[in-house]
């Protein structure tokens, strides 16, 4: 935030702590190491206290910074995993071992990536942990297995050509088997099998161009949600795609191209329009949206398309009144 950093638990909605602007300044990007005491911070915004080309690691138990990683250009985003730190720059992705014996494992050049787009699957097995980011070709996504890629190992890039225009949003499922992408047009979300690189389904958010803020899979990968600047969160079925809505023209048997054949959202709900928000599944039947205006929305959805609000709150008003 512009005035520091705040950490919330979502279910139930409670503030777990905050770092004041006096302590850390304004923050561009941050990441928790799961639910541990380690927090990665990147300065940015109007009141940065630290250099924007540095990732700082804050230890919430020791109440101090314990580590830093410095680069030659500003860091656009950072991700922490159980044994990896991923730093995204405008034209590079750097991967470090972390938190034990931190060292750079490898770096990869990327296409111009001003949003710092990156997705990493959680390490839920010892088989693979995928990293996804924009490839060198327009509309492509490059995939790397963090468990097998090292600095001294040369491997051919594993790329999926997803769109004809630049990538705007990417997501991986927890099982590291599916990749979801959207382009800067923002009308379609495409889901690919990462093993075969085959497109499994094409989901239509809408017909008008939009800026997609977020894509997320449900824990079991049966559903997918996305949010955009249109003020609507869309929920799609992936396992039983017959649940998704179809165009009226397709029911009439008219052949009008891919627009008619696209699958539309099973369910949706609205949030404040033109207000950036992220969305994610709390479980396999509920979705939460967290918006830049400080509002929290939780909706329950059913397989027949019903979507009902279960909770609404202004999360910025929730405070534990303790500066860390």
């Amino acid at each position: 935030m512009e005035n520091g950093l705040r950490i919330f638990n979502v279910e139930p909605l409670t503030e777990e702590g905050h770092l004041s602007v006096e302590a850390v300044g304004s923050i561009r990007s941050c990441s928790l190491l799961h639910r541990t005491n380690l927090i990665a911070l990147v300065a940015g915004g109007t009141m940065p206290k630290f250099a924007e080309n540095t990732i700082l690691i804050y230890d919430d138990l020791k109440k101090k910074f314990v580590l830093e990683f410095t680069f030659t250009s500003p860091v656009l985003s950072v991700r922490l995993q159980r044994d990896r730190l991923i730093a995204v720059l405008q034209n590079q992705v750097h991967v470090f071992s972390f938190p034990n014996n931190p060292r750079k494992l490898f770096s990869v050049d990327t296409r111009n990536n001003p949003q710092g787009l990156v997705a990493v699957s959680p390490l839920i097995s010892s088989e693979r942990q995928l990293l996804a980011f924009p490839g060198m070709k327009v509309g492509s996504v490059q995939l790397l297995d963090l468990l097998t890629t090292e600095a001294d190992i040369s491997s051919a890039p594993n790329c999926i050509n997803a769109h004809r225009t630049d990538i705007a949003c990417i997501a991986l499922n927890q099982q590291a088997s599916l990749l979801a992408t959207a382009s800067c047009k923002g009308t379609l979300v495409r889901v690919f099998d990462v093993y075969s690189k085959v497109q499994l389904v094409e989901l239509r958010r809408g017909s008008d161009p939009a800026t997609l803020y977020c894509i997320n899979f449900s824990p079991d990968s049966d559903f997918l949600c996305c949010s955009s600047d249109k003020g609507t969160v869309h929920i799609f079925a992936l396992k039983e795609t017959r649940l998704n809505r179809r165009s009226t023209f397709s029911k009439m048997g008219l052949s009008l191209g891919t627009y008619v054949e696209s699958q539309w959202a099973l369910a949706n709900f609205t949030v404040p329009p033109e207000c950036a928000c992220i969305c994610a599944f709390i479980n396999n039947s509920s979705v939460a949206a967290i918006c830049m205006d400080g509002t929290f929305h939780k909706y329950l959805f059913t397989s027949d398309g019903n979507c009902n609000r279960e909770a609404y709150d202004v999360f910025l008003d929730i405070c534990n009144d303790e500066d860390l």
Side-chain angles (χ1 to χ4, degrees):
M1 301 175 63
E2 283 292 320
N3 59 350
L5 179 145
R6 297 177 68 174
I7 303 167
F8 292 88
N9 187 76
V10 173
E11 188 77 355
L13 184 62
T14 56
E15 185 188 66
E16 296 298 306
H18 57 268
L19 301 174
S20 67
V21 66
E22 291 78 17
V24 298
S26 52
I27 299 297
R28 178 191 185 106
S29 180
C30 63
S31 181
L32 285 171
L33 182 59
H34 298 294
R35 296 180 68 94
T36 72
N37 52 299
L38 296 179
I39 310 167
L41 308 175
V42 179
T46 60
M47 297 179 289
K49 188 173 181 179
F50 307 104
E52 297 182 5
N53 65 335
T54 300
I55 297 174
L56 295 165
I57 306 300
Y58 184 85
D59 188 324
D60 188 35
L61 290 181
K62 297 179 180 179
K63 306 299 182 186
K64 66 177 183 180
F65 293 102
V66 295
L67 196 62
E68 69 177 58
F69 300 81
T70 301
F71 305 88
T72 56
S73 61
V75 178
L76 302 182
S77 61
V78 59
R79 298 289 186 274
L80 294 183
Q81 290 294 315
R82 191 179 72 181
D83 58 354
R84 295 288 188 271
L85 179 147
I86 298 114
V88 183
L89 281 58
Q90 183 147 330
N91 297 102
Q92 287 183 315
V93 174
H94 301 282
V95 178
F96 295 79
S97 57
F98 181 85
N100 299 320
N101 302 316
R103 64 183 181 89
K104 183 187 287 188
L105 299 178
F106 62 90
S107 299
V108 183
D109 292 333
T110 71
R111 182 174 176 79
N112 191 42
N113 184 15
Q115 297 182 69
L117 295 177
V118 69
V120 58
S121 63
L123 185 59
I124 59 177
S125 72
S126 58
E127 295 182 0
R128 66 187 330 202
Q129 184 179 33
L130 286 184
L131 177 71
F133 50 89
M136 296 299 288
K137 181 181 177 182
V138 176
S140 70
V141 176
Q142 184 166 340
L143 298 169
L144 289 176
D145 188 343
L146 293 177
L147 300 186
T148 60
T149 306
E150 296 286 348
D152 56 350
I153 298 177
S154 177
S155 58
N158 183 13
C159 285
I160 292 177
N161 295 317
H163 301 272
R164 295 181 180 178
T165 54
D166 280 324
I167 298 294
C169 211
I170 53 179
L172 289 164
N173 67 337
Q174 292 192 18
Q175 296 77 23
S177 60
L178 299 177
L179 168 75
T181 67
S183 74
C184 56
K185 288 181 63 177
T187 54
L188 299 172
V189 175
R190 291 175 175 149
V191 180
F192 297 86
D193 181 300
V194 299
Y195 295 98
S196 65
K197 304 181 187 177
V198 172
Q199 180 180 305
L200 300 177
V201 65
E202 182 177 270
L203 308 169
R204 181 165 289 277
R205 179 213 56 81
S207 54
D208 296 329
T211 299
L212 258 70
Y213 296 127
C214 178
I215 302 174
N216 261 314
F217 290 90
S218 63
D220 59 5
S221 300
D222 285 357
F223 299 94
L224 177 145
C225 65
C226 68
S227 61
S228 73
D229 61 351
K230 298 295 185 181
T232 304
V233 174
H234 299 270
I235 303 167
F236 299 89
L238 296 181
K239 183 178 181 180
E240 298 184 56
T241 55
R242 61 177 178 80
L243 299 175
N244 294 325
R245 294 187 298 111
R246 301 300 202 277
S247 167
T248 303
F249 293 109
S250 67
K251 297 177 182 178
M252 298 169 58
L254 298 179
S255 179
L256 299 176
T258 57
Y259 179 87
V260 170
E261 299 168 1
S262 293
Q263 300 183 30
W264 298 68
L266 156 72
N268 56 64
F269 61 90
T270 59
V271 294
E274 299 181 3
C275 177
C277 83
I278 57 174
C279 58
F281 290 86
I282 295 178
N283 53 48
N284 294 327
S285 61
S286 63
V287 172
I290 295 96
C291 302
M292 281 288 290
D293 65 354
T295 57
F296 170 87
H297 311 257
K298 179 184 176 183
Y299 279 78
L300 296 177
F301 69 94
T302 61
S303 59
D304 59 2
N306 288 327
C307 199
N308 298 302
R309 188 167 76 180
E310 186 180 56
Y312 169 85
D313 216 324
V314 181
F315 66 87
L316 292 181
D317 290 345
I318 301 172
C319 184
N320 64 8
D321 295 323
E322 180 184 353
D323 283 330
L324 297 182

